Amino acid sequence: MKIGIIGAGFVGRAIGKLAVRAGHQVMLSNSRGPHTLFSMRHAVGCEVGTVDEAAAFGDIVVIAIPLAAYRSVPVAVLNGKVVIDTDNYYPDRDGQIVELDDGKITTSELLARHLPQSRIIKAFNAITMNDLEKDGLPAGAGERRALPLAGDDEEGKTIAKTLYNQFGFDAVDAGNLAEGWRFERGTPAYCVRMTAAELEAALAKVQRHIVDA
């Protein structure tokens, strides 16, 4: 599978490295241009390109940029595509976003509003990238860590579950995209090591999170 990644920071690099290791073709991009990603060809084993090139390249596209920059994601080229949203909301970095502070919308619903013809899946946001690279275990291993996802598109969720499994993690489906708040920053499931059973319980009992101003 071809995976385009918009964002080449810790998140984009970690997902790209694991995807290449799993046999996928990857193109990394950032807002500064491919000339700034020269070393990534060797460090990650991927191609590099512009944001538009990565969006066009991918059978699926991963968004791995600060939430405040979500409006910079190209729209038309992503129509109909599965888009995996890894974003989290950090007011100190992103500025205050009133809709998120009030719990009226989730981070992924913001992106979905920007990309109305794309199939948005929330995934890879509830684990640190250091853990993503080192905690993976073979399927069936005892105490295998589980990661949550959410989305309205079943094919897209299947793709995200497959990537989780290939990277060494069990997947727990939290429901439709609007349920992504269950594993956003500050919730019990956020960046906490849990098995699938533990994660399912944590997602079920969590209360709606309101970000501190």
Side-chain angles (χ1 to χ4, degrees), residues 3 6 18 22 24 42 51 61 68 72 83 96 117 140 161-162 187 198 203 206:
I3 301 175
I6 297 175
L18 292 171
H24 300 291
H42 308 287
V51 168
V61 176
S72 69
V83 173
Q96 298 295 148
Q117 301 303 316
K161 291 174 184 178
T162 297
T187 61
E198 291 167 341
L203 293 173
V206 65

Side-chain angles (χ1 to χ4, degrees), residues 92-150:
D92 288 346
R93 178 194 67 188
D94 302 314
Q96 298 295 148
I97 301 176
V98 174
E99 291 173 293
L100 295 177
D101 294 340
D102 292 344
K104 293 179 179 178
I105 197 169
T106 66
T107 55
S108 291
E109 287 176 302
L110 277 181
L111 182 64
R113 191 165 64 188
H114 177 66
L115 301 174
Q117 301 303 316
S118 299
R119 297 179 285 162
I120 311 299
I121 306 298
K122 183 72 169 180
F124 291 105
N125 73 298
I127 184 171
T128 68
M129 293 302 102
N130 284 338
D131 285 353
L132 186 69
E133 290 197 54
K134 70 180 180 63
D135 282 1
L137 293 172
E143 299 301 307
R144 194 187 201 207
R145 185 168 178 172
L147 299 177
L149 59 92

Side-chain angles (χ1 to χ4, degrees), residues 3-213:
I3 301 175
I5 302 178
I6 297 175
F10 292 121
V11 177
R13 293 198 304 268
I15 292 174
K17 187 183 301 182
L18 292 171
V20 168
R21 191 178 301 167
H24 300 291
Q25 294 178 262
V26 172
M27 180 180 286
L28 272 176
S29 68
N30 66 13
S31 60
R32 294 177 296 160
H35 65 284
T36 67
L37 300 173
F38 176 79
S39 64
M40 292 298 103
R41 294 182 185 272
H42 308 287
V44 177
C46 65
E47 300 180 45
V48 298
T50 66
V51 168
D52 285 340
E53 286 169 343
F57 172 88
D59 300 317
I60 68 166
V61 176
V62 176
I63 307 301
I65 58 177
L67 180 64
Y70 78 90
R71 292 184 183 88
S72 69
V73 175
V75 177
V77 69
L78 294 176
N79 285 350
K81 289 194 177 187
V82 170
V83 173
I84 294 180
D85 172 37
T86 72
D87 280 343
N88 288 302
Y89 174 41
Y90 291 94
D92 288 346
R93 178 194 67 188
D94 302 314
Q96 298 295 148
I97 301 176
V98 174
E99 291 173 293
L100 295 177
D101 294 340
D102 292 344
K104 293 179 179 178
I105 197 169
T106 66
T107 55
S108 291
E109 287 176 302
L110 277 181
L111 182 64
R113 191 165 64 188
H114 177 66
L115 301 174
Q117 301 303 316
S118 299
R119 297 179 285 162
I120 311 299
I121 306 298
K122 183 72 169 180
F124 291 105
N125 73 298
I127 184 171
T128 68
M129 293 302 102
N130 284 338
D131 285 353
L132 186 69
E133 290 197 54
K134 70 180 180 63
D135 282 1
L137 293 172
E143 299 301 307
R144 194 187 201 207
R145 185 168 178 172
L147 299 177
L149 59 92
D152 300 329
D153 183 84
E154 290 303 319
E155 181 184 8
K157 288 203 279 191
T158 296
I159 290 170
K161 291 174 184 178
T162 297
L163 290 175
Y164 275 172
N165 185 56
Q166 290 175 340
F167 293 2
F169 301 89
D170 289 335
V172 173
D173 189 341
N176 60 31
L177 196 65
E179 298 300 313
W181 65 269
R182 293 182 181 275
F183 51 95
E184 288 180 342
R185 183 181 69 85
T187 61
Y190 183 69
C191 296
V192 176
R193 184 192 308 274
M194 297 183 188
T195 64
E198 291 167 341
L199 182 54
E200 287 173 359
L203 293 173
K205 70 182 181 182
V206 65
Q207 299 296 310
R208 190 68 190 253
H209 176 58
I210 306 300
V211 175
D212 294 332

